[in-house]
Amino acid sequence: MTKLKLVAELAGHEDRVWQVSWDPLGTRLASCSGDKSARIWAPISGEPFFTTEHSEKPMAAAAIGGGASMDVDQTSASTWQCLDTIDNAHKRTVRSIAFEPTRGRALATASFDGTTAIWEKEGAYECVATLEGHENEAKSVAWSPSGQLLATCGRDKSVWIWESNGEGDFDCISVLMEHTQDVKMVLWHPMQDLLVSFSYDDSIRVWKEDDDDWYSAATLTGHSSTVWGGAFSPDGRFLASVSDDRTVRVWTQKCQASSAEDDKGFYYRPDSEFQCVAVVPDSVHSRAIYSVSWTAASAAASAAAGDYGFLATGSGDNTLRILRVSASAAAGATGSQSSALDIELVCERQNAHGLSDINCVKWNPVYPSWLATCGDDGIVRIWHLE
Amino acid sequence: MNITQKINDAPLVYDVVSTTRGVQDTDFDDGVCDPIDSDEVYELIRNINDPEHPLTLEQLHVANKDHVYVDDNSNHVLIEFTPTIPHCSMATLIGLCIRVRLLRSLPERFKVDIKVREGTHQSETQVNKQLNDKERVAAALENTYLLDVVNQCLATAV
C-alpha cells in the first residue's frame, strides 16, 4: 500500500515558487520564485538524510491551519536549511532553474526578463555568464546530459540551443522557430542529445542534430490544450507529457524499419515517428496539470519486467498524485510486441500545498523514492513515497 | 490610453438596475459564516471601468450578474463577460482587469476562470486561453505599463 509522507517543509520564498531542481548527487535542491530570487537548500550537514530511518521518525500530528492530514515531522525545521539565496538574480520572476547534471557545480536560471544566467559557487554564488537573446519572457532552461549544451525557450515561440565554450561562457548554436506559439518547457533526453519542447500551441516537438544543424524531427500532436511539460522515463524509452487539457500522455518512438543505406537525397533527414501509448483520462485531474516527473521502480518494490516506475504529477487542483506505470497486460495476451502501457493512480495527496496550485514536482535522481514539490504557496516540500 | 481611433465609438449604454439585499438576522451573528456568492463577486466587478469610455462594465452590459457563477464550497468562480462588439480587441484587457480585481479581493483559495460569453467574440478561444493561462497572466502583470492601464480601469471599482 503506497503512501506519501511529508518529510520537510522549506519556507523562505516570498512569492510563488515556480520550479525546483535537484543536483546530480541528490543532496541539494534549488528553487526559483516570483520574488525574483533563487534559493539553494540542503539537509543540515552531518546528517545522512535520505535513509528510511529518517523518514520513519515518529510523526507528530501537527494541525496546520486546517490541513489536518499533514503529518509533519516536528523537527523538520531543523533538518533542512537554506544554504544560499541568490537575490540579485534577475529583474523579474525567475521562472526556471537547473543544476548542471554532471558535476552540479553550475546552476542556470531563466527569467521573465528574457535572460538566462549561469551561476557558479565560489564561496557565494556568482554570475559567470548571462545569455541574452529571447525577445520576451524566457520560460525554461535545461542542460543536456553531457553538460555541454543548454536549451532555453520562451514566449517568443523560439527554442535556443547554446554550447559551452569551455571558459564558462556559452555560444548560441541554434535558434529554432517552428512552434507557432509560446514554448513552455524544454527537456533533454537522459542519455542522448535529443531535445523536446512543449508549447502553448498544443504540440510537442522533438529536435535532433544532424552535423551540427538542429532540426525538428517530429511533432507530437494529441493534446487539446497547452502542453505544460513532460518527463522521460529513466531508461529514456518513453516520454510523458502533461497538459492544460488535464490529461497525461505517454509517447514512445516507433521502431524505424528503414535501412541505413537508404539514400533519399542530399537534404534527407531521418524523421522520427512517435506514437501515443497511454493516456490518463481527464477525469483523474480536475484542473490543469503543470508538472510531471518519472522515477524508476525502487529495488524494494516488485521490479519485475514491465514495471516502469512511478509518475508524480502536480496540478492546479492542489493535488499531488503518484501513478504507477506498467506494461499493458493486453500485450501478453495477443503475443505481439505491443508497447502499450497501463497507468494506475496509486496515491494522491490533496492540498499538498494548502489551497494552492502545485507548480513543479521532481523526483530525486539518486534516491528514487524521494520527491520535491513546490507551489503557489511559496513553500517547497520534500516527500517520501513508501 | 493614447489611441486616436476607439475600437467601439458608440457603445450601447444601459441603465443600472440597483438591487439591495435585505438585512437579515444572521448578518449580526458572528457564528454564522456567510458564503461568498455571485452577488458578492458581481459587486466586485460591476464598477470596473471600460478601457475606452468612462463607463462601467455593468453599464455596457459587459459584466452580467447572471453570468457570474460562484461555488463557495468547491472554491470555484466562473465569470463570463460579453464584449460590446465581436472584434473587440480590448477583450483580453477587460478580462485581465476582472482577473486582477478578483485576485486582489477574493480569498486565495478561489480558482477563478474567466471566459468570453460563448458566441460573442470572433477570437473567443484565443482570448479564453490567454486569460486562463496563469503564467501568461503573471508575466503580463509584471509589465508596468500594462499594470498602469489595469489600475486605471480598476480605479472606479471601489
Side-chain angles (χ1 to χ4, degrees):
Chain A
M1 168 75 167
T2 34
K3 58 184 176 63
L4 267 174
K5 187 170 272 184
L6 174 65
V7 181
E9 288 192 334
L10 283 43
H13 277 297
E14 291 157 21
D15 199 324
R16 57 168 39 127
V17 185
W18 281 108
Q19 194 166 50
V20 287
S21 170
W22 290 98
D23 80 331
L25 296 172
T27 52
R28 300 269 177 282
L29 187 65
S31 62
C32 63
S33 166
D35 65 7
K36 311 186 182 89
S37 78
R39 280 174 184 252
I40 290 89
W41 312 84
I44 305 270
S45 48
E47 272 198 43
F49 186 79
F50 298 101
T51 56
T52 37
E53 295 150 24
H54 199 101
S55 74
E56 277 162 16
K57 268 189 182 156
M59 292 289 158
I64 303 168
S69 59
M70 294 275 220
D71 309 311
V72 183
D73 183 346
Q74 284 287 57
T75 59
S76 71
S78 61
T79 55
W80 278 74
Q81 60 176 335
C82 179
L83 282 185
D84 290 284
T85 305
I86 306 177
D87 268 332
N88 55 344
H90 290 279
K91 300 183 183 62
R92 289 181 59 179
T93 289
V94 188
R95 175 63 181 86
S96 181
I97 192 164
F99 265 109
E100 191 268 330
T102 56
R103 283 153 57 225
R105 294 210 43 209
L107 191 60
T109 55
S111 164
F112 281 174
D113 65 11
T115 65
T116 302
I118 312 295
W119 307 82
E120 277 186 22
K121 187 162 177 147
E122 321 264 342
Y125 273 92
E126 306 224 329
C127 181
V128 299
T130 303
L131 312 180
E132 296 177 349
H134 280 291
E135 287 167 22
N136 39 49
E137 296 90 54
K139 299 205 169 171
S140 178
V141 63
W143 298 83
S144 70
S146 62
Q148 293 303 304
L149 298 173
L150 198 63
T152 60
C153 67
R155 182 163 67 86
D156 59 2
K157 309 173 196 161
S158 64
V159 174
W160 289 54
I161 303 187
W162 309 78
E163 186 170 28
S164 169
N165 67 1
E167 291 144 27
D169 207 345
F170 286 76
D171 298 321
C172 173
I173 59 170
S174 197
V175 177
L176 305 161
M177 307 236 24
E178 308 257 0
H179 277 292
T180 53
Q181 292 275 8
D182 184 0
V183 189
K184 296 294 195 187
M185 179 176 157
V186 279
L187 174 73
W188 290 93
H189 188 279
M191 279 92 78
Q192 306 162 17
D193 272 353
L194 184 148
L195 181 67
V196 185
S197 57
F198 306 87
S199 171
Y200 183 95
D201 67 10
D202 310 348
S203 75
I204 301 166
R205 278 190 184 257
V206 178
W207 310 90
K208 283 189 172 163
E209 182 199 19
D210 166 43
D211 197 22
D212 277 346
D213 215 0
W214 286 85
Y215 67 100
S216 175
T219 306
L220 279 51
T221 50
H223 279 296
S224 51
S225 188
T226 301
V227 193
W228 280 105
F232 272 102
S233 62
D235 61 3
R237 284 179 55 198
F238 298 100
L239 172 68
S241 63
V242 288
S243 165
D244 186 59
D245 66 4
R246 312 193 312 274
T247 64
V248 181
R249 281 175 182 259
V250 181
W251 314 80
T252 191
Q253 195 160 349
K254 277 194 202 159
C255 301
Q256 234 100 39
S258 58
S259 57
E261 302 93 62
D262 267 344
D263 181 13
K264 307 226 173 113
F266 195 75
Y267 294 109
Y268 174 65
R269 274 157 165 183
D271 270 353
S272 313
E273 260 194 82
F274 279 75
Q275 61 179 350
C276 182
V277 295
V279 180
V280 173
D282 58 9
S283 48
V284 176
H285 296 77
S286 33
R287 287 186 74 84
I289 313 173
Y290 293 117
S291 178
V292 64
S293 185
W294 201 326
T295 191
S298 60
S302 59
D307 183 354
Y308 290 113
F310 295 99
L311 285 173
T313 59
S315 169
D317 61 7
N318 315 341
T319 308
L320 173 61
R321 291 180 177 81
I322 310 293
L323 305 114
R324 176 185 287 118
V325 189
S326 46
S328 182
T334 56
S336 58
Q337 184 43 181
S338 165
S339 44
L341 295 179
D342 276 337
I343 308 182
E344 182 204 341
L345 177 68
V346 296
C347 179
E348 71 177 27
R349 178 74 108 161
Q350 305 214 344
N351 301 335
H353 278 266
L355 296 166
S356 309
D357 293 357
I358 302 172
N359 293 322
C360 186
V361 296
K362 282 267 167 69
W363 291 103
N364 188 309
V366 175
Y367 305 98
S369 52
W370 294 79
L371 182 66
T373 63
C374 66
D376 277 356
D377 59 350
I379 301 191
V380 177
R381 288 191 169 84
I382 309 222
W383 310 78
H384 184 241
L385 184 70
E386 45 202 48
Chain B
M1 294 197 42
N2 298 327
I3 23 166
T4 47
Q5 181 64 39
K6 290 192 195 288
I7 304 294
N8 188 358
D9 266 327
L12 284 172
V13 184
Y14 299 84
D15 285 329
V16 170
V17 176
S18 89
T19 50
T20 44
R21 204 170 62 93
V23 174
Q24 297 163 314
D25 281 339
T26 49
D27 286 350
F28 300 101
D29 184 352
D30 276 346
V32 172
C33 177
D34 287 324
I36 293 180
D37 58 8
S38 50
D39 282 339
E40 189 169 345
V41 173
Y42 183 65
E43 204 55 40
L44 288 170
I45 63 172
R46 57 194 270 249
N47 288 324
I48 295 175
N49 235 20
D50 179 83
E52 284 190 312
H53 305 280
L55 298 163
T56 67
L57 297 186
E58 180 177 32
Q59 288 174 305
L60 294 167
H61 272 201
V62 170
N64 281 298
K65 190 192 291 211
D66 297 331
H67 301 157
V68 175
Y69 309 98
V70 177
D71 186 344
D72 188 88
N73 285 328
S74 60
N75 299 324
H76 184 238
V77 171
L78 169 63
I79 298 192
E80 291 177 343
F81 68 97
T82 313
T84 51
I85 41 171
H87 51 278
C88 177
S89 57
M90 300 277 156
T92 338
L93 179 57
I94 293 172
L96 189 62
C97 291
I98 296 175
R99 192 173 273 291
V100 173
R101 176 74 176 134
L102 295 181
L103 208 67
R104 291 176 181 168
S105 327
L106 286 181
E108 268 183 51
R109 59 187 168 96
F110 277 96
K111 307 283 183 193
V112 180
D113 289 327
I114 301 178
K115 298 198 157 128
V116 173
R117 183 92 181 141
E118 214 177 313
T120 60
H121 197 275
Q122 63 186 23
S123 317
E124 73 181 62
T125 28
Q126 288 162 31
V127 174
N128 287 346
K129 200 171 179 185
Q130 267 203 346
L131 285 176
N132 294 298
D133 179 324
K134 77 170 185 189
E135 191 185 49
R136 292 287 276 258
V137 170
L141 295 178
E142 284 190 346
N143 177 332
T144 44
Y145 169 71
L146 191 53
L147 204 54
D148 276 343
V149 173
V150 168
N151 284 332
Q152 269 178 44
C153 294
L154 294 186
T156 48
V158 173

